[in-house]
Amino acid sequence: MKYILVTGGVISGIGKGIIASSVGTILKSCGLHVTAIKIDPYINIDAGTFSPYEHGEVFVLDDGGEVDLDLGNYERFLDIRLIRDNNITTGKIYQSVINKERKGDYLGKTVQVVPHITDAIQEWVMKQATISVDEDGVEPQVCVIELGGTVGDIESMPFIEAFRQFQFKVKRENFCNIHVSLIPQPNTTGEQKTKPTQNSVRELRGLGLSADLIVCRCTTPLETSVKEKISMFCHVEPTQVICVHDVSSIYRVPLLLEDQGVVRYLCERLNLPIEMRPRKMLTKWKEMADRSDRLLEHVSIALVGKYTKLADSYTSVIKALEHSALAINHKLEVKYIDSADLETTTLQDDPVKYHEAWQKLCSAHGVLVPGGFGARGTEGKMEAISWARKQNKPFLGVCLGMQLAVCEFARSVLGWEDANSTEFNPESKHPVVIDMPEHNPGQMGGTMRLGKRRTIFSSSTSVLRKLYGDVEYVDERHRHRFEVNPELKHHFEQKGLQFVGQDVEGERMEVIELEDHCYFVGVQYHPEFTSRPIKPSPPYFGLLLASAGKLQSYLAKGCRLSPRDTYSDHSGSSSPDMDMRELKFLSL
């Protein structure tokens, strides 16, 4: 097993996740099996109880693990399926050590950070690295480990020490360190500054780890003199200084690393069993990046949510929209709308903000209401849903978005004025959304309906079923505490709101579709978590097709795109005459 540790310096949020994913991608394109581990030094057991403003969205895995959004990047870039143990937190490590101590596993010893915590970290990494993440069940050959935060943070010290020991345990030829650092370029001088990187690498070396590759994040390509200066002061060859400047699309990052000889270096440094030959997978990435740069037609989607001040709150949602827009050759424009701005209270308090929000909504080609928690902004979301329903605008509601679509329909069409979710109004006479019997209100963490669950389609004419490739069921990831009240189902169906997908027992409402509407779909699950660049998520794909005015022709052609919208044959993807098999969603 080969281990590649990715650390970061100077600032957090520098792009370690994208660098780690890109390194994995270029190695996977060489035919290696790659897995990934993310280490978060916070004391939380998992990311489940965070506000999206803390660390961005909470990503959900097949086994119900609530994890950092970087694991979403790994899954999308590497097309793998991870589990909750691929995300290590300080809380998980300490919990496992304390549980062992309570059982008496340490035989009367004093339990300390070194060796007990550091040993636990190393054991976790070695055990998790061997677990298959590919569909073929083959054990991985390379494990990319990303250490969150920045070098020198007090909370990441035990992890740095663990890897200092680890490099000797697994031997030098099986371990290497990639250090990601910032090269600031002050506007006053326009000069690229290397001092922060020098200090960061010096601190890392002082803690016992030497950087094998220094990846420099900068706004413009690194000048040769700057590269040589970093090489001289940071104890590496100039070829070991890699420049990752700002690019038009993240699909270009693996290509940047490849062009600068990262594969060649890792191949020599880790004795990797690969041949240096042109690789189909990277050709596909290049083609995706080129396509994304030359798109001319635009499609705009209004994203009506409550965490719109931070784009990372909806990372997977945005990626799913981008994947779908790319598949139909349109450039995506996302209009972020804070749902509270659409409410009448904002009209009184700040009329300009109110009218700007409505102008954004009315000028968008489609409307998306993603998941969320809490009562703030829910009335605004229902206003947006009502507008999309009445104006025949393409609409997709995900999780809470689907529940609010049911509430809005109950109020406007069924005449139940106080219809609501018991999450927001426990006293409602018409509780159309209720909490689930298995939910434990005493504890917040890990008590929702989480992970991959099966949804059975009950209608053969469902639009979403056709988009999935006319399958009988789909397996998608869930994260919710509340559900549509199944006892009221017949009231909605009589008026045209059809529940076309249910869970295996037929008790949970999973998919809604409105009759006589261009595209009005709600799903209880989160389809964005399984969207991939070459295999867009069907609910999002349907929204983009409808927003671009292409949905009916797509369905009429038997869910096939025109040759213009497909990837070329030499890219290792599908060709026009294969009718873009990957976009037929036969296996998601």
Side-chain angles (χ1 to χ4, degrees), residues 13 16 25 62 79 101 106 122 140 165 196 223 257 261 311 318-319 360 367 426 429 502 505-506 546:
K16 294 186 299 296
T25 301
D62 279 351
D79 198 13
E101 187 275 331
Y106 296 115
Q122 293 172 61
Q165 299 169 21
E223 291 159 22
L257 299 181
I318 302 302
K319 292 284 176 260
K360 274 189 197 172
V367 180
K429 292 193 179 74
Q502 282 110 31
E505 286 80 30

Side-chain angles (χ1 to χ4, degrees), residues 156-230:
S156 64
M157 286 301 182
F159 294 101
I160 297 276
E161 172 58 23
F163 286 109
R164 185 194 68 74
Q165 299 169 21
F166 190 68
Q167 63 187 335
F168 301 112
K169 184 185 279 188
V170 298
K171 302 290 182 286
R172 177 179 156 75
E173 65 272 14
N174 296 321
F175 179 89
C176 87
N177 172 220
I178 297 175
H179 189 63
V180 186
S181 186
L182 178 71
I183 304 290
Q185 199 167 354
N187 288 335
T188 45
T189 60
E191 188 186 354
Q192 294 178 327
K193 296 292 184 185
T194 65
K195 192 64 77 182
T197 297
Q198 291 177 42
N199 291 339
S200 173
V201 172
R202 188 184 305 119
E203 182 154 22
L204 186 66
R205 291 178 65 200
L207 295 168
L209 283 173
S210 287
D212 292 290
L213 287 174
I214 298 172
V215 174
C216 300
R217 283 287 290 111
C218 38
T219 47
T220 54
L222 216 54
E223 291 159 22
T224 309
S225 59
V226 175
K227 214 173 203 185
E228 286 167 354
K229 191 174 179 184
I230 293 169

